[in-house]
Amino acid sequence: MRFEPTEIARLYGRSRVGVVVHKDLQAVYVNDAYAKMLGRRDVKDFMSEPDMRQYIPPSFHHEAAKLSEGYQGSNGFHGWKKVYNIRTDGTPVWMEISDETVEWDQGNAVLTTAQAIDNGTTAMQVDHMLGRSFIGVMVHRNMNALYVNESFARLMGAESASGFMENPDILRFIPEDNRPRAIKHVADILSGERRGDRHRVLDILDDGSSVWRDLTDERILWHDGKPAILTTAHDVREEVEMHHELVRAKAGLEEAVTEVIRLVPSAVAMLDIGLNVVHHNHEFARLFGQEKAAGDDQAFDISALHECCAKMKLHGHGHATLDEMQTPSGRLADIRMNMMEGGGVMVSATDITDHKRKEQMLDTLASTDPLTRALNRRGFEIAVSRLREIRHLKDKSWLFGLIILDLDYFKEINDTYGHAVGDRILEKVAETLRQALRDDDLVVRLGGEEFAVLLPSATAAVTKRIGERLASMIRAIEVPVDKAGENFAKVTASFGATVGGEGRQKFVELSDAMKVADEAMYAAKEAGRDQMIFKTHENESDT
């Protein structure tokens, strides 16, 4: 899709939805709503400093640059996500954004739309983004937890998040000598007098054991309208223990230090003041090592770490992080770097590739039917909501055709041939529906032998025609019921169809359209099956 500045200004200039077009994270167009969302007076004020990195939390700069580069080199719509940016006054703003690649001035750019989440951060939003994270996450106020994820609960010795919240007092974990300072630290962040920073603490668990954690505190607005603190926590016990071991071995126990690093399960390396690898373990070589000839020393590609190390030294920070960095081996890793005495750097890396794949697999399982690979009800509702939002963002009407179909006499097929044949028929029906429809049409298994098809932008005539074609294709389905393949099970379906959205005088919601189509499908059953009845919300119908 190609845009000119005058065209996009006409489309989005007065929109209440924030819109920015950017190349390499440099804004080339912004509307007034987006400028004010980020704390700027107006568009002119925003474009005086078009670098968008100033609004992105530093820990996400690398990821943002990587995503922007990927989007510019691709095409189409890249989905919705919830993020938070930093306004010019330093306060965070939670936003729901979408990104789309567009043609712009001799090349590609990224069109980002944004809506602020004005009622603050809700537990649902935090849990959606961070609930399954292996990083510990807690939201708290006045030394009492308001929310914890499972990782944080286990880090603090609880069996689950719900078990932790039975006693949400977090002051009990802090050694008595440190409590006054901790209480003041939290109060200063809540009041806005102090910005959250990263620090390392030693906590005492309920069973008397101790745990070292690296914490990052961020002031947010909770859903009750009051400030709270979002704390992320990394378990650094192994890192601290290794550091103590290195300190004890400082007086010349180089061989012992190398052995300790080798035994650590995470990828670990020590860099000297010139950022050369002087000690490493096998896992670090797996992630960052280069192929070597026989007899040569191990070589490493750590160029991606050099810039981060340089900034860490320039600003006098003792630590730095790179989240979800792609290593030379092609694996994703979370990187942590800490300055050592003498100017060297300790690097630890956790391979999160498998974890990310599991997260994606869980998301897929939660939204699709495992037998037919069609959407389930949850995935259907999410997909419809996104389609509707995209249409409205493009100033297009939300119209759709809807078809509900139920296989005829399906119980008899299961009883006669067995459930294995019945399952194969369900798979063939779903496959037939997918092959017959467009990429943006949605196929959903409502349950049992009942399916639904949503046709964006389809008129009544188009919906009827597609329904009739689907009925004919299902009649043609044959599933062998014996090893020789000489006998086949066949199936028909009863169809109910309707249209909804903004096409008629009365707006028809999807839920209402589902009821109408369901009624029409049952009418087709009663009329003898293997046919389609079309019905509108005004009770007009034809067979």
Side-chain angles (χ1 to χ4, degrees), residues 336-371:
R336 290 187 44 74
M337 289 175 280
N338 288 278
M339 294 289 297
M340 300 189 301
E341 294 182 13
V345 179
M346 172 67 70
V347 179
S348 62
T350 303
D351 189 337
I352 62 170
T353 308
D354 295 336
H355 174 78
K356 285 294 180 183
R357 287 173 181 168
K358 288 179 181 178
E359 281 190 345
Q360 293 173 356
M361 181 182 69
L362 288 172
D363 286 341
T364 300
L365 290 175
S367 60
T368 58
D369 172 53
L371 174 65

Side-chain angles (χ1 to χ4, degrees), residues 374-375 380 384 400-406 429-430 432-438 440-446 450-456 458 462-463 466-467 469-471 474 495-499 510 513-514 517:
L375 293 172
F380 182 49
V384 170
F400 62 86
L402 179 66
I403 301 171
I404 292 180
L405 60 136
D406 189 89
V429 168
T432 299
L433 295 177
R434 281 193 297 270
Q435 292 176 349
L437 300 174
R438 303 168 301 179
D440 57 348
D441 296 333
L442 303 180
V443 178
V444 56
R445 184 184 179 191
L446 298 175
E450 188 175 10
F451 294 82
V453 172
L454 185 124
L455 310 168
V462 171
T463 303
I466 291 176
R469 179 158 56 92
L470 295 178
I474 289 175
F495 289 74
T498 189
V499 290
L510 176 62
M514 291 284 287

